[in-house]
Amino acid sequence: MEHQISLTIDAKGKKCPMPVLLTSKGIKQIAAGEIMLVEATDGGSKSDIPAWAKDTGHELLETRAEDGVYRYYIRKA
């Protein structure tokens, strides 16, 4: 599925909790309904990013993992 990305957050190489902190900071930069892509390499992001999205009410549209990079597509509520 292709998404219209408004903002990409590069959290590759960052250890927990930085991917979630960068995600939280990034979501403030886009408008409601827009989509943000978060790229992370920390394995903890596999549980942290979905939990953050659920707790904050934003929609996690899709998660992909390729070559050690986790990609999260999040629609701002």
Side-chain angles (χ1 to χ4, degrees):
M1 175 182 277
E2 294 300 319
H3 301 285
Q4 181 82 23
I5 306 300
S6 297
L7 177 68
T8 299
I9 300 296
D10 182 2
K12 294 187 296 283
K14 308 286 186 189
K15 297 293 181 189
C16 184
M18 286 308 294
V20 170
L21 293 175
L22 293 171
T23 300
S24 181
K25 183 177 178 181
I27 203 80
K28 295 174 183 172
Q29 299 177 38
I30 62 174
E34 290 185 325
I35 298 172
M36 179 175 71
L37 167 63
V38 179
E39 296 179 319
T41 51
D42 182 50
S45 69
K46 292 188 293 185
S47 60
D48 292 349
I49 299 290
W52 172 87
K54 183 178 179 183
D55 288 348
T56 58
H58 302 295
E59 182 181 4
L60 179 60
L61 299 173
E62 185 177 356
T63 301
R64 296 182 192 170
E66 297 175 279
D67 300 325
V69 178
Y70 305 102
R71 292 181 174 86
Y72 305 93
Y73 298 84
I74 302 166
R75 183 189 319 270
K76 183 173 181 174

